[in-house]
Amino acid sequence: MQSKRKLKAAHIVEALQSEPVDIHSLRKLSISPGGLLSRKLRCQVWPHLLDVTDTHLKCPKNVRMHPECRQVQLDVNRSGGRFPSTMPKEEVDILQEQLTDLILSVLCTHSELNYYQGYHDICVTFLLVCGKQLSFPLVERLSTYHLRDFMVRSMDSTADILNYLIPILEKSNPELVKYIEKSEVGTLFALSWLITWYSYVVPKQEDIERLYDFFLSCHPLMPVYFAAQIVLDNADNIMDGECEMARVYQVLLQTARKTDLPLETLISKAADFYIQFPPSSLSVTAIDYYKDGLAMSTFCDYALVAQHELPDAVLRRRGLYSSDRTESSVNTRPSNADSTHWSAAKTAAVAVGGAVGAAAIAGAVNLLEWAPHLLGYL
Amino acid sequence: MNPNNDTEPYDYLFKIVLIGDAGVGKTCIVQRFKSGVWVESQASTIGVDFCMKSCEVNGKKIKLQVWDTAGQERFRTITQSYYRSANGVVCAFDLTRQSTFLNVEKWMNDVSKFCEENVSKLLIGNKCDLTEERAVSREECAKVGSYYSVVDYIETSAKDNTNIEASFIKLATVLLEKHSSSNLQQEPNTVFGLGSRTKPVKSTCC
Ligand SMILES: Nc1nc2c(ncn2[C@@H]2O[C@H](COP(=O)(O)OP(=O)(O)OP(=O)(O)O)[C@@H](O)[C@H]2O)c(=O)[nH]1
Ligand SMILES: [Mg+2]
């Protein structure tokens, strides 16, 4: 086990040191079991995943004059539970001050972004992993891409994104979807999962960080694919009892809070699902969503500009996504450790849809050329 | 899990939605009511949290479903969908922050827009332990309360455990009176749904 870790760490360092940085390998390694392994490596790799080159972005001045300052402080003051219980109070105080400045710096830099309760939870993760200096450019980038839809004035687009959950669940467990619909529970139970990238619910900080490796390497909708896997994993529990809104809501709320969340399995399944059922394959609502000019479509635009086509469109043209074939593969394909590794490669390939920056996209063509071999077993 | 939950028999089930500005202490109030504890660094609520608590009123076992909503303005459109089937609403503000009191108007407008007409409302002024920092007078608060025809205005402290249980019991009592007089006949246990217009549930067991 230890030697496997060492080997993986060596691969990560190798990818970092190559000229230019081997972003595809970094994405793959971030997705595959264990993710980026340590905070030290995360600090080095996350900037690449976000395509941040200027790590010394200057913070704006007088950030505490921002109109949201009061709300931010309200939330920061209550973030104590996110810091290690062993951390001395003085240190927590310092970090909380930095947290307030970090959040307000992003808000001051981007007047179009609206703060939401839960945003601070994401910022805590960055602060703990990367420190205040590096966190600013990273969070700034993350906010204008992955989180952008959550930060528009209205929460309607966030609710729309949550609705992707149902068609994803449908692909794998239509019976569960019927049950959930009958209970009228809706999808809002997953709101806090999505907009905090699970830092509000997943109890262990190291798990949260590992998840961020994954999400940072993928399309902004990946957290929804991940939510679907949590729900699917608990299907028996959900359907065991009265089909009644409050009960189902309570069970669903608890599913992500389990201390024994099978994280790696869920990650690899979410990645598999993304490959088999990319967002554009999901539903009419999904298609409508692409037109909205929000973050999801921006991501696609990036890919489109670079290669005139969405990666999943390429794959579909090659007959890899024809729905009848994929449907059967869901049921039959085992999800063993081997396939996890290969899925990581594929997801990184398709993750170009969510990739920021020309470097990543230019190289993606190669990956796509290469991906069909991997997809052979589909 | 908690013995209070799920399986325990009850006579009535009421759904209560807790609303009010961010930071007024809604989650602390629920925690205090539910588990009797005071959690100093209670995290902000994201979306809507949920808990169950049983209590006894006039010899009847009452089960309360408490929906604890996030107070930030931008969550409003989302939390409103939880109002529809509520039997009772607790609207809380912070006695030390006038802005949270002034916003009671907004919350009450939401209630009249999205709740059933006959919903029972309770107004709570929280953090009454901070007497030095008090920013609104009791008379003012009571006046606003009666303007919105609340069943009562109560001052609470989740920190000192002042009037927390009493508030929920008060609301439960009113709900019980209302529904036991209107439901002369035993109603079967109806399914409770977020989207459905629901009657308070009367259990068939015991
Ligand atoms: N002194 C005092 N402080 C309180 C009391 N109740 C809550 N607080 C403090 O007020 C702050 C906010 O409490 P929460 O319960 O998180 O507030 P909330 O209304 O749930 O806020 P949102 O979840 O953001 O909508 C916390 O830091 C508590 O410590 C009280 O009765 N007295
Ligand atoms: Mg709360």
Side-chain angles (χ1 to χ4, degrees):
Chain A
M1 211 55 215
Q2 202 53 37
S3 66
K4 234 179 168 173
R5 257 183 93 90
K6 269 203 182 127
L7 192 66
K8 186 168 188 189
H11 283 311
I12 296 170
V13 172
E14 194 184 326
L16 277 169
Q17 287 173 345
S18 60
E19 264 309 327
V21 170
D22 184 355
I23 182 75
H24 309 303
S25 298
L26 289 180
R27 283 185 194 282
K28 276 192 279 178
L29 291 159
S30 305
I31 295 167
S32 69
L36 293 171
L37 306 173
S38 69
R39 283 191 178 170
K40 195 170 150 225
L41 288 169
R42 288 187 173 109
C43 289
Q44 293 173 270
V45 177
W46 284 6
H48 294 291
L49 297 180
L50 285 164
D51 196 35
V52 167
T53 42
D54 182 8
T55 51
H56 291 280
L57 205 59
K58 221 166 158 298
C59 291
K61 290 211 165 63
N62 299 326
V63 295
R64 305 238 171 176
M65 306 292 283
H66 193 279
E68 287 284 9
C69 185
R70 166 81 210 171
Q71 176 69 53
V72 171
Q73 281 175 325
L74 260 180
D75 295 326
V76 169
N77 290 343
R78 290 178 285 169
S79 66
R82 288 291 313 283
F83 298 93
S85 53
T86 50
M87 192 180 268
K89 188 182 173 299
E90 300 76 50
E91 207 173 319
V92 174
D93 289 347
I94 292 169
L95 283 168
Q96 286 184 324
E97 287 300 309
Q98 293 177 352
L99 181 60
T100 305
D101 286 333
L102 170 62
I103 295 167
L104 293 171
S105 295
V106 178
L107 296 179
C108 285
T109 313
H110 293 278
S111 57
E112 78 279 13
L113 298 180
N114 297 276
Y115 175 76
Y116 60 87
Q117 288 188 298
Y119 179 76
H120 71 294
D121 260 322
I122 291 185
C123 294
V124 172
T125 306
F126 276 87
L127 201 57
L128 286 171
V129 173
C130 305
K132 66 169 183 176
Q133 180 67 50
L134 183 54
S135 288
F136 177 51
L138 298 188
V139 172
E140 193 254 356
R141 178 58 58 88
L142 187 78
S143 309
T144 47
Y145 291 91
H146 291 72
L147 308 181
R148 199 174 94 187
D149 289 335
F150 314 146
M151 303 187 80
V152 293
R153 188 161 295 280
S154 138
M155 277 240 152
D156 293 352
S157 46
T158 305
D160 287 345
I161 294 171
L162 276 175
N163 284 334
Y164 272 92
L165 197 54
I166 298 299
I168 301 173
L169 293 172
E170 183 101 60
K171 300 282 183 193
S172 166
N173 194 340
E175 199 195 333
L176 176 64
V177 171
K178 270 201 206 103
Y179 189 92
I180 287 178
E181 278 172 355
K182 184 167 171 238
S183 76
E184 301 188 41
V185 74
T187 51
L188 292 180
F189 65 88
L191 177 71
S192 66
W193 305 359
L194 178 67
I195 66 177
T196 69
W197 272 17
Y198 297 84
S199 23
Y200 183 61
V201 282
V202 169
K204 276 190 256 164
Q205 178 62 26
E206 55 189 272
D207 286 349
I208 295 171
E209 291 170 21
R210 194 286 171 252
L211 264 180
Y212 279 36
D213 298 337
F214 177 48
F215 293 151
L216 286 170
S217 302
C218 294
H219 190 280
L221 272 179
M222 192 54 89
V224 182
Y225 282 80
F226 187 76
Q229 293 310 319
I230 296 182
V231 174
L232 288 169
D233 196 49
N234 288 279
D236 292 347
N237 213 352
I238 294 162
M239 293 194 281
D240 178 23
E242 201 185 338
C243 183
E244 182 257 336
M245 193 258 174
R247 187 196 70 81
V248 177
Y249 191 88
Q250 193 168 31
V251 174
L252 283 165
L253 269 192
Q254 293 309 319
T255 53
R257 292 185 187 268
K258 285 190 199 161
T259 43
D260 57 348
L261 210 62
L263 209 60
E264 295 298 342
T265 314
L266 295 174
I267 286 174
S268 96
K269 283 187 178 170
D272 276 358
F273 248 71
Y274 184 90
I275 302 291
Q276 289 163 19
F277 309 108
S280 57
S281 76
L282 283 180
S283 67
V284 186
T285 356
I287 291 160
D288 283 348
Y289 198 72
Y290 275 104
K291 290 195 222 128
D292 278 0
L294 297 165
M296 303 309 159
S297 48
T298 313
F299 277 95
C300 301
D301 291 345
Y302 259 107
L304 276 168
V305 169
Q307 56 189 79
H308 314 292
E309 214 160 4
L310 288 174
D312 49 65
V314 178
L315 297 178
R316 197 179 308 106
R317 199 183 56 234
R318 294 180 182 192
L320 290 157
Y321 283 152
S322 73
S323 52
D324 41 357
R325 281 182 65 178
T326 38
E327 212 82 77
S328 62
S329 67
V330 176
N331 302 328
T332 52
R333 204 150 48 84
S335 182
N336 54 28
D338 251 16
S339 81
T340 302
H341 175 73
W342 293 118
S343 303
K346 286 185 295 166
T347 310
V350 180
V352 177
V356 186
I361 289 154
V365 181
N366 294 334
L367 253 185
L368 286 168
E369 288 299 329
W370 172 59
H373 306 293
L374 303 175
L375 292 166
Y377 68 91
L378 267 177
Chain B
M1 277 179 46
N2 197 309
N4 254 330
N5 274 348
D6 303 344
T7 50
E8 207 178 300
Y10 55 88
D11 300 310
Y12 284 90
L13 173 69
F14 296 119
K15 171 173 169 180
I16 294 174
V17 178
L18 199 47
I19 57 176
D21 278 9
V24 301
K26 298 181 294 297
T27 306
C28 290
I29 289 170
V30 174
Q31 283 306 321
R32 180 59 98 176
F33 177 54
K34 160 92 185 158
S35 329
V37 293
W38 162 249
V39 189
E40 182 81 51
S41 72
Q42 183 67 61
S44 334
T45 306
I46 320 286
V48 180
D49 275 330
F50 172 85
C51 82
M52 291 272 210
K53 168 88 178 172
S54 301
C55 54
E56 213 174 283
V57 178
N58 302 338
K60 298 278 184 214
K61 270 233 180 295
I62 312 282
K63 201 158 158 178
L64 297 178
Q65 263 183 14
V66 184
W67 298 82
D68 174 19
T69 64
Q72 196 195 359
E73 171 82 31
R74 53 191 285 105
F75 284 99
R76 263 190 198 185
T77 50
I78 278 182
T79 48
Q80 277 157 5
S81 56
Y82 291 79
Y83 289 28
R84 224 183 326 175
S85 51
N87 306 115
V89 166
V90 176
C91 179
F93 65 93
D94 180 345
L95 284 166
T96 70
R97 269 198 298 147
Q98 194 176 31
S99 61
T100 68
F101 174 65
L102 297 175
N103 275 336
V104 166
E105 183 186 346
K106 280 208 227 168
W107 291 109
M108 287 298 186
N109 286 342
D110 278 3
V111 169
S112 58
K113 244 191 269 168
F114 300 105
C115 289
E116 297 266 316
E117 209 171 326
N118 66 346
V119 69
S120 302
K121 293 164 280 187
L122 184 70
L123 185 64
I124 279 187
N126 189 40
K127 310 196 187 180
C128 71
D129 56 290
L130 302 171
T131 42
E132 303 274 285
E133 293 162 50
R134 192 179 174 115
V136 271
S137 76
R138 196 187 174 99
E139 292 68 42
E140 254 180 298
C141 303
K143 218 154 90 190
V144 164
S146 51
Y147 178 79
Y148 290 108
S149 341
V150 298
V151 300
D152 206 350
Y153 164 66
I154 301 180
E155 304 201 337
T156 61
S157 164
K159 191 171 183 178
D160 290 0
N161 198 9
T162 307
N163 281 338
I164 299 296
E165 176 140 336
S167 299
F168 285 95
I169 296 287
K170 172 77 198 187
L171 191 56
T173 309
V174 171
L175 286 170
L176 180 65
E177 279 165 8
K178 205 169 181 173
H179 294 292
S180 51
S181 59
S182 69
N183 294 359
L184 291 171
Q185 286 176 328
Q186 282 250 343
E187 291 226 7
N189 204 341
T190 45
V191 174
F192 214 95
L194 171 61
S196 53
R197 307 182 136 245
T198 44
K199 295 209 176 80
V201 179
K202 190 157 169 52
S203 168
T204 43
C205 49
C206 78

